[in-house]
Amino acid sequence: MTIKAIEGLHHVTSMASSARENNAFFTNLLGLRRVKKTVNFDVPDVYHLYYGDEAGSPGTVMTYFPFPHMRKGRSGVGEVGRTVFAVPPGSLPFWRDRLSTAEVSGLADADDFGEIRLNFEGPDGDGFALVEAEDHRAPWTDGGVNADEAIRGFHSTSMRLQDDDAMGELLTFMGYSKGETRGDVTRFIREGGNEANVIDLETLPGADTAQQGAGSVHHVAFAVPDRAAQLDVRSALVDTGYAVTPVIDRNYFWAIYFRTPGGVLFEVATNEPGFDSDEPLAQLGSGLKLPSQHEHLRAELEKHLEPIEG
Ligand code: ZN
């Protein structure tokens, strides 16, 4: 059997060494909207910052746990190597200029799978790229980047693995179809999914295992419409032998997690209830939002958490 309910990416969560720098990079430079300022529900003295489109639609949301002064990760296999955002055709010269003026590191043109892309790094060496794509999602344009150039959401993530057989099987089980292979990279596509529906698997036999740290992707989350679909996906994964967590309430979505062959942590997250469940759409991301179990820590957290702009 194959899981049908997964629509593509929901969010990608990484780690950073500075909340202030991370917030400035995603809002001021990349022009995304900060859609939530909350804390890591499991480690409440650390922020959980979410950046995306106006509403934080599934498939657009890059999220961060900024651990102050965290050591940088070391790249290798068993991780997401690059997170790729879709931008409109013809917009890469604008971005090359903008990122180079900001002295962003790792800027390099690339041409993968016939797509024009610009690789770059985040403040902690995070692997990113912008790819020109026909994409029908409405961009957030109040962040200083016009509609002709603004990021639409995720295009794909690229995972680095010793061997992609088991992961390829898992993605196929999750409803992805195997596409082209170019060099070391095989593409998987969720046909009919949301627009963040591509996963690339890069095979690097013999490479060292990644060590997680600042700039590393912590986990990648896949979107399902609702809780009923999530329970079906959970049963299907458990029946196949995966150790899947119980359903966890993350306030803005419901989450289950499981470790995949090769080491990458996957989450399956619901599209409901969304980021406007505790503040109005117009004010998303402005106040420090705490889950009820941590509300009693508010005074202490407000004193202790690094102030960020906006
Ligand atoms: Zn997550």
mmCIF file of all heavy atoms in Angstrom, residues 136-166:
data_model
loop_
_atom_site.group_PDB
_atom_site.id
_atom_site.type_symbol
_atom_site.label_atom_id
_atom_site.label_comp_id
_atom_site.label_asym_id
_atom_site.label_seq_id
_atom_site.Cartn_x
_atom_site.Cartn_y
_atom_site.Cartn_z
ATOM 1 N N HIS A 136 2.366 29.122 -8.229
ATOM 2 C CA HIS A 136 1.142 29.934 -8.179
ATOM 3 C C HIS A 136 0.787 30.444 -6.798
ATOM 4 O O HIS A 136 -0.250 31.060 -6.602
ATOM 5 C CB HIS A 136 -0.013 29.151 -8.808
ATOM 6 C CG HIS A 136 0.304 28.776 -10.227
ATOM 7 N ND1 HIS A 136 0.792 27.537 -10.577
ATOM 8 C CD2 HIS A 136 0.293 29.510 -11.355
ATOM 9 C CE1 HIS A 136 1.035 27.518 -11.877
ATOM 10 N NE2 HIS A 136 0.739 28.702 -12.377
ATOM 11 N N ARG A 137 1.657 30.209 -5.836
ATOM 12 C CA ARG A 137 1.351 30.667 -4.478
ATOM 13 C C ARG A 137 1.557 32.179 -4.366
ATOM 14 O O ARG A 137 2.489 32.740 -4.943
ATOM 15 C CB ARG A 137 2.244 29.939 -3.475
ATOM 16 C CG ARG A 137 1.912 28.461 -3.380
ATOM 17 C CD ARG A 137 2.905 27.716 -2.515
ATOM 18 N NE ARG A 137 4.201 27.546 -3.179
ATOM 19 C CZ ARG A 137 5.218 26.875 -2.658
ATOM 20 N NH1 ARG A 137 5.108 26.333 -1.455
ATOM 21 N NH2 ARG A 137 6.351 26.752 -3.322
ATOM 22 N N ALA A 138 0.689 32.830 -3.597
ATOM 23 C CA ALA A 138 0.800 34.277 -3.389
ATOM 24 C C ALA A 138 1.929 34.554 -2.406
ATOM 25 O O ALA A 138 1.996 33.932 -1.351
ATOM 26 C CB ALA A 138 -0.506 34.817 -2.843
ATOM 27 N N PRO A 139 2.831 35.470 -2.762
ATOM 28 C CA PRO A 139 3.949 35.748 -1.854
ATOM 29 C C PRO A 139 3.583 36.773 -0.786
ATOM 30 O O PRO A 139 2.613 37.526 -0.946
ATOM 31 C CB PRO A 139 4.988 36.348 -2.796
ATOM 32 C CG PRO A 139 4.172 37.071 -3.815
ATOM 33 C CD PRO A 139 2.906 36.267 -3.988
ATOM 34 N N TRP A 140 4.365 36.823 0.269
ATOM 35 C CA TRP A 140 4.275 37.898 1.269
ATOM 36 C C TRP A 140 5.071 39.070 0.706
ATOM 37 O O TRP A 140 6.249 38.909 0.367
ATOM 38 C CB TRP A 140 4.875 37.406 2.580
ATOM 39 C CG TRP A 140 5.019 38.462 3.632
ATOM 40 C CD1 TRP A 140 6.198 38.929 4.158
ATOM 41 C CD2 TRP A 140 3.972 39.143 4.333
ATOM 42 N NE1 TRP A 140 5.929 39.856 5.133
ATOM 43 C CE2 TRP A 140 4.577 40.020 5.260
ATOM 44 C CE3 TRP A 140 2.575 39.112 4.255
ATOM 45 C CZ2 TRP A 140 3.847 40.848 6.112
ATOM 46 C CZ3 TRP A 140 1.848 39.938 5.104
ATOM 47 C CH2 TRP A 140 2.470 40.791 6.016
ATOM 48 N N THR A 141 4.442 40.223 0.547
ATOM 49 C CA THR A 141 5.152 41.336 -0.088
ATOM 50 C C THR A 141 5.316 42.532 0.848
ATOM 51 O O THR A 141 5.773 43.584 0.431
ATOM 52 C CB THR A 141 4.416 41.797 -1.365
ATOM 53 O OG1 THR A 141 3.050 42.024 -1.047
ATOM 54 C CG2 THR A 141 4.511 40.759 -2.458
ATOM 55 N N ASP A 142 4.962 42.363 2.129
ATOM 56 C CA ASP A 142 5.180 43.463 3.078
ATOM 57 C C ASP A 142 6.543 43.364 3.747
ATOM 58 O O ASP A 142 6.826 44.093 4.700
ATOM 59 C CB ASP A 142 4.073 43.481 4.148
ATOM 60 C CG ASP A 142 2.760 43.996 3.574
ATOM 61 O OD1 ASP A 142 2.714 44.254 2.352
ATOM 62 O OD2 ASP A 142 1.779 44.112 4.330
ATOM 63 N N GLY A 143 7.373 42.473 3.260
ATOM 64 C CA GLY A 143 8.682 42.264 3.880
ATOM 65 C C GLY A 143 9.813 42.938 3.121
ATOM 66 O O GLY A 143 10.979 42.644 3.359
ATOM 67 N N GLY A 144 9.453 43.834 2.174
ATOM 68 C CA GLY A 144 10.494 44.583 1.472
ATOM 69 C C GLY A 144 10.918 43.974 0.147
ATOM 70 O O GLY A 144 11.814 44.488 -0.514
ATOM 71 N N VAL A 145 10.300 42.861 -0.255
ATOM 72 C CA VAL A 145 10.606 42.273 -1.563
ATOM 73 C C VAL A 145 9.294 42.247 -2.365
ATOM 74 O O VAL A 145 8.266 41.774 -1.869
ATOM 75 C CB VAL A 145 11.190 40.846 -1.428
ATOM 76 C CG1 VAL A 145 11.508 40.269 -2.799
ATOM 77 C CG2 VAL A 145 12.447 40.848 -0.549
ATOM 78 N N ASN A 146 9.334 42.778 -3.593
ATOM 79 C CA ASN A 146 8.132 42.872 -4.428
ATOM 80 C C ASN A 146 7.687 41.512 -4.969
ATOM 81 O O ASN A 146 8.484 40.577 -5.039
ATOM 82 C CB ASN A 146 8.390 43.791 -5.624
ATOM 83 C CG ASN A 146 8.649 45.213 -5.172
ATOM 84 O OD1 ASN A 146 8.055 45.681 -4.193
ATOM 85 N ND2 ASN A 146 9.561 45.882 -5.857
ATOM 86 N N ALA A 147 6.439 41.472 -5.431
ATOM 87 C CA ALA A 147 5.862 40.227 -5.939
ATOM 88 C C ALA A 147 6.661 39.627 -7.103
ATOM 89 O O ALA A 147 6.689 38.416 -7.279
ATOM 90 C CB ALA A 147 4.416 40.463 -6.359
ATOM 91 N N ASP A 148 7.322 40.487 -7.892
ATOM 92 C CA ASP A 148 8.092 39.968 -9.034
ATOM 93 C C ASP A 148 9.300 39.139 -8.597
ATOM 94 O O ASP A 148 9.893 38.433 -9.417
ATOM 95 C CB ASP A 148 8.609 41.128 -9.896
ATOM 96 C CG ASP A 148 7.493 41.787 -10.676
ATOM 97 O OD1 ASP A 148 6.392 41.207 -10.712
ATOM 98 O OD2 ASP A 148 7.723 42.878 -11.244
ATOM 99 N N GLU A 149 9.697 39.301 -7.351
ATOM 100 C CA GLU A 149 10.879 38.595 -6.870
ATOM 101 C C GLU A 149 10.644 37.726 -5.635
ATOM 102 O O GLU A 149 11.439 36.832 -5.335
ATOM 103 C CB GLU A 149 11.987 39.606 -6.517
ATOM 104 C CG GLU A 149 12.642 40.270 -7.712
ATOM 105 C CD GLU A 149 12.126 41.684 -7.966
ATOM 106 O OE1 GLU A 149 11.456 42.236 -7.062
ATOM 107 O OE2 GLU A 149 12.380 42.214 -9.066
ATOM 108 N N ALA A 150 9.576 38.001 -4.909
ATOM 109 C CA ALA A 150 9.433 37.411 -3.569
ATOM 110 C C ALA A 150 9.372 35.882 -3.574
ATOM 111 O O ALA A 150 8.848 35.258 -4.505
ATOM 112 C CB ALA A 150 8.185 37.974 -2.894
ATOM 113 N N ILE A 151 9.892 35.318 -2.520
ATOM 114 C CA ILE A 151 9.863 33.867 -2.296
ATOM 115 C C ILE A 151 8.415 33.379 -2.207
ATOM 116 O O ILE A 151 7.591 34.004 -1.547
ATOM 117 C CB ILE A 151 10.643 33.533 -0.999
ATOM 118 C CG1 ILE A 151 12.149 33.720 -1.234
ATOM 119 C CG2 ILE A 151 10.317 32.134 -0.492
ATOM 120 C CD1 ILE A 151 13.012 33.546 -0.001
ATOM 121 N N ARG A 152 8.118 32.278 -2.871
ATOM 122 C CA ARG A 152 6.767 31.695 -2.881
ATOM 123 C C ARG A 152 6.577 30.640 -1.797
ATOM 124 O O ARG A 152 5.447 30.299 -1.444
ATOM 125 C CB ARG A 152 6.508 31.034 -4.230
ATOM 126 C CG ARG A 152 5.891 31.898 -5.332
ATOM 127 C CD ARG A 152 6.230 33.320 -5.290
ATOM 128 N NE ARG A 152 5.473 34.074 -6.309
ATOM 129 C CZ ARG A 152 5.686 35.338 -6.607
ATOM 130 N NH1 ARG A 152 6.636 36.025 -5.966
ATOM 131 N NH2 ARG A 152 4.960 35.956 -7.517
ATOM 132 N N GLY A 153 7.659 30.060 -1.355
ATOM 133 C CA GLY A 153 7.566 28.953 -0.401
ATOM 134 C C GLY A 153 8.659 27.960 -0.746
ATOM 135 O O GLY A 153 9.534 28.251 -1.566
ATOM 136 N N PHE A 154 8.598 26.790 -0.137
ATOM 137 C CA PHE A 154 9.605 25.777 -0.456
ATOM 138 C C PHE A 154 9.391 25.221 -1.853
ATOM 139 O O PHE A 154 8.247 25.024 -2.287
ATOM 140 C CB PHE A 154 9.529 24.595 0.519
ATOM 141 C CG PHE A 154 9.895 24.939 1.928
ATOM 142 C CD1 PHE A 154 9.003 24.691 2.965
ATOM 143 C CD2 PHE A 154 11.122 25.498 2.227
ATOM 144 C CE1 PHE A 154 9.328 25.003 4.276
ATOM 145 C CE2 PHE A 154 11.458 25.809 3.537
ATOM 146 C CZ PHE A 154 10.566 25.565 4.556
ATOM 147 N N HIS A 155 10.500 24.946 -2.519
ATOM 148 C CA HIS A 155 10.481 24.154 -3.731
ATOM 149 C C HIS A 155 10.818 22.710 -3.367
ATOM 150 O O HIS A 155 10.140 21.779 -3.790
ATOM 151 C CB HIS A 155 11.509 24.740 -4.711
ATOM 152 C CG HIS A 155 11.845 23.874 -5.874
ATOM 153 N ND1 HIS A 155 12.865 22.952 -5.846
ATOM 154 C CD2 HIS A 155 11.304 23.793 -7.119
ATOM 155 C CE1 HIS A 155 12.937 22.336 -7.023
ATOM 156 N NE2 HIS A 155 12.002 22.824 -7.806
ATOM 157 N N SER A 156 11.852 22.524 -2.547
ATOM 158 C CA SER A 156 12.331 21.173 -2.247
ATOM 159 C C SER A 156 13.293 21.197 -1.070
ATOM 160 O O SER A 156 13.704 22.259 -0.613
ATOM 161 C CB SER A 156 13.078 20.606 -3.462
ATOM 162 O OG SER A 156 14.137 21.478 -3.836
ATOM 163 N N THR A 157 13.614 19.996 -0.616
ATOM 164 C CA THR A 157 14.795 19.853 0.233
ATOM 165 C C THR A 157 15.646 18.771 -0.403
ATOM 166 O O THR A 157 15.139 17.888 -1.101
ATOM 167 C CB THR A 157 14.470 19.397 1.670
ATOM 168 O OG1 THR A 157 13.819 18.135 1.597
ATOM 169 C CG2 THR A 157 13.608 20.385 2.410
ATOM 170 N N SER A 158 16.939 18.859 -0.133
ATOM 171 C CA SER A 158 17.866 17.863 -0.651
ATOM 172 C C SER A 158 18.530 17.172 0.533
ATOM 173 O O SER A 158 19.092 17.837 1.400
ATOM 174 C CB SER A 158 18.894 18.586 -1.528
ATOM 175 O OG SER A 158 19.859 17.676 -1.950
ATOM 176 N N MET A 159 18.397 15.847 0.589
ATOM 177 C CA MET A 159 18.982 15.092 1.706
ATOM 178 C C MET A 159 20.245 14.396 1.237
ATOM 179 O O MET A 159 20.322 13.915 0.113
ATOM 180 C CB MET A 159 17.989 14.047 2.200
ATOM 181 C CG MET A 159 16.705 14.692 2.662
ATOM 182 S SD MET A 159 15.567 13.485 3.325
ATOM 183 C CE MET A 159 14.044 14.405 3.157
ATOM 184 N N ARG A 160 21.226 14.343 2.139
ATOM 185 C CA ARG A 160 22.480 13.645 1.839
ATOM 186 C C ARG A 160 22.488 12.315 2.577
ATOM 187 O O ARG A 160 22.283 12.278 3.787
ATOM 188 C CB ARG A 160 23.679 14.458 2.346
ATOM 189 C CG ARG A 160 23.833 15.812 1.718
ATOM 190 C CD ARG A 160 25.221 16.339 2.089
ATOM 191 N NE ARG A 160 25.340 17.743 1.772
ATOM 192 C CZ ARG A 160 25.366 18.716 2.685
ATOM 193 N NH1 ARG A 160 25.294 18.423 3.977
ATOM 194 N NH2 ARG A 160 25.479 19.959 2.313
ATOM 195 N N LEU A 161 22.756 11.249 1.822
ATOM 196 C CA LEU A 161 22.690 9.911 2.401
ATOM 197 C C LEU A 161 23.851 9.059 1.928
ATOM 198 O O LEU A 161 24.388 9.271 0.840
ATOM 199 C CB LEU A 161 21.375 9.239 1.965
ATOM 200 C CG LEU A 161 20.085 9.984 2.351
ATOM 201 C CD1 LEU A 161 18.913 9.473 1.535
ATOM 202 C CD2 LEU A 161 19.820 9.838 3.839
ATOM 203 N N GLN A 162 24.253 8.087 2.756
ATOM 204 C CA GLN A 162 25.263 7.100 2.340
ATOM 205 C C GLN A 162 24.740 6.338 1.138
ATOM 206 O O GLN A 162 25.472 5.993 0.230
ATOM 207 C CB GLN A 162 25.462 6.042 3.444
ATOM 208 C CG GLN A 162 26.231 6.485 4.647
ATOM 209 C CD GLN A 162 27.731 6.418 4.421
ATOM 210 O OE1 GLN A 162 28.206 6.067 3.334
ATOM 211 N NE2 GLN A 162 28.477 6.800 5.418
ATOM 212 N N ASP A 163 23.447 6.050 1.213
ATOM 213 C CA ASP A 163 22.829 5.126 0.270
ATOM 214 C C ASP A 163 21.354 5.517 0.252
ATOM 215 O O ASP A 163 20.766 5.722 1.311
ATOM 216 C CB ASP A 163 23.055 3.734 0.884
ATOM 217 C CG ASP A 163 22.206 2.645 0.287
ATOM 218 O OD1 ASP A 163 21.155 2.946 -0.279
ATOM 219 O OD2 ASP A 163 22.603 1.475 0.414
ATOM 220 N N ASP A 164 20.764 5.672 -0.925
ATOM 221 C CA ASP A 164 19.403 6.210 -0.948
ATOM 222 C C ASP A 164 18.307 5.154 -1.122
ATOM 223 O O ASP A 164 17.140 5.483 -1.258
ATOM 224 C CB ASP A 164 19.282 7.314 -2.007
ATOM 225 C CG ASP A 164 19.399 6.771 -3.434
ATOM 226 O OD1 ASP A 164 19.564 5.538 -3.597
ATOM 227 O OD2 ASP A 164 19.334 7.574 -4.376
ATOM 228 N N ASP A 165 18.684 3.857 -1.081
ATOM 229 C CA ASP A 165 17.687 2.817 -1.364
ATOM 230 C C ASP A 165 16.525 2.833 -0.375
ATOM 231 O O ASP A 165 15.360 2.876 -0.778
ATOM 232 C CB ASP A 165 18.326 1.424 -1.323
ATOM 233 C CG ASP A 165 19.213 1.189 -2.540
ATOM 234 O OD1 ASP A 165 19.196 2.045 -3.463
ATOM 235 O OD2 ASP A 165 19.912 0.161 -2.565
ATOM 236 N N ALA A 166 16.857 2.795 0.927
ATOM 237 C CA ALA A 166 15.808 2.707 1.940
ATOM 238 C C ALA A 166 14.982 3.988 1.975
ATOM 239 O O ALA A 166 13.753 3.949 2.116
ATOM 240 C CB ALA A 166 16.421 2.422 3.305
#
